[in-house]
Amino acid sequence: MSGLPTDVPHRRTGVRVEVPGPLDLGGQGRETARAVRFLRECAGLGLRVTWRAVGRPAYDLSALRHLPPPDELPGSGAELSAWRDGYGFGTLYHRRGPGFVTVMDRREPGTAARLTLDHPDLLAAFDRLHDPTPLDLLDPTGREAVGLLAAERLALVSEGWAVSLPPRIRRWPVPCTAI
């Protein structure tokens, strides 16, 4: 068992993961949310991923710079270079406590933000978005909470689907203060 979502075909060997087909980042709802979840889980496990992207996203790609960058990205080479330059293990992650989640966000160079989610509605939405979720299945309070998470770039909302962005790091580097 690889510990990764099975809806994205992949081959795992040790700390390397190869995705044979392209992952859709073009904002096509469910497929984009699945791709982001897969990459988020790989990041949380500290895996090296070989993959390529298809589709031109309408959203800001810098929100995904905490995820392993693709080998190929449609569009300008500058976006791919920025992703590769901005990528670093642990630039965005969450830790869970009793009744709260703390998120560390260092995706923007020279900044660090620590956010604590302790409101029950935000926690419920954050937990629900662990798996790709259609927005029309959420009640108005859930949709509002997802909107707040998206505004803080903690969730990606695309074509009526949403997924959380911060991975839960399961394998810390030694020393863990390197993050």
Side-chain angles (χ1 to χ4, degrees):
M1 179 168 161
S2 72
L4 295 172
T6 58
D7 56 0
V8 172
H10 64 280
R11 182 174 47 249
R12 180 174 174 184
T13 308
V15 296
R16 294 191 176 277
V17 174
E18 181 181 337
V19 180
L23 296 180
D24 179 12
L25 294 185
Q28 300 305 312
R30 183 178 183 179
E31 294 307 312
T32 296
R34 284 179 169 178
V36 168
R37 175 188 55 180
F38 180 81
L39 294 170
R40 182 196 68 212
E41 293 304 304
C42 288
L45 292 168
L47 301 173
R48 294 186 188 122
V49 185
T50 301
W51 68 284
R52 57 190 166 84
V54 295
R56 291 286 309 145
Y59 54 87
D60 181 8
L61 268 177
S62 69
L64 304 182
R65 287 191 188 150
H66 66 290
L67 301 174
D71 292 338
E72 297 175 22
L73 180 68
S76 75
E79 288 179 321
L80 181 56
S81 292
W83 191 337
R84 287 180 178 155
D85 293 343
Y87 173 72
F89 183 73
T91 55
L92 176 70
Y93 63 91
H94 80 272
R95 297 188 76 169
R96 185 168 297 279
F100 69 94
V101 167
T102 300
V103 178
M104 176 58 81
D105 187 354
R106 295 187 308 240
R107 287 175 286 184
E108 294 301 320
T111 65
R114 184 181 309 259
L115 301 146
T116 301
L117 307 176
D118 58 1
H119 190 279
D121 295 332
L122 283 175
L123 281 173
F126 186 81
D127 290 343
R128 177 93 187 249
L129 296 184
H130 179 75
D131 292 319
T133 303
L135 295 176
D136 59 3
L137 290 183
L138 301 174
D139 63 17
T141 302
R143 285 192 294 277
E144 181 181 1
V146 168
L148 293 171
L149 292 170
E152 292 295 333
R153 299 178 0 134
L154 302 181
L156 178 68
V157 176
S158 172
E159 296 293 320
W161 284 76
V163 65
S164 63
L165 292 174
R168 182 174 183 198
I169 295 180
R170 293 173 183 88
R171 299 199 180 167
W172 290 86
V174 177
C176 66
T177 56
I179 292 183

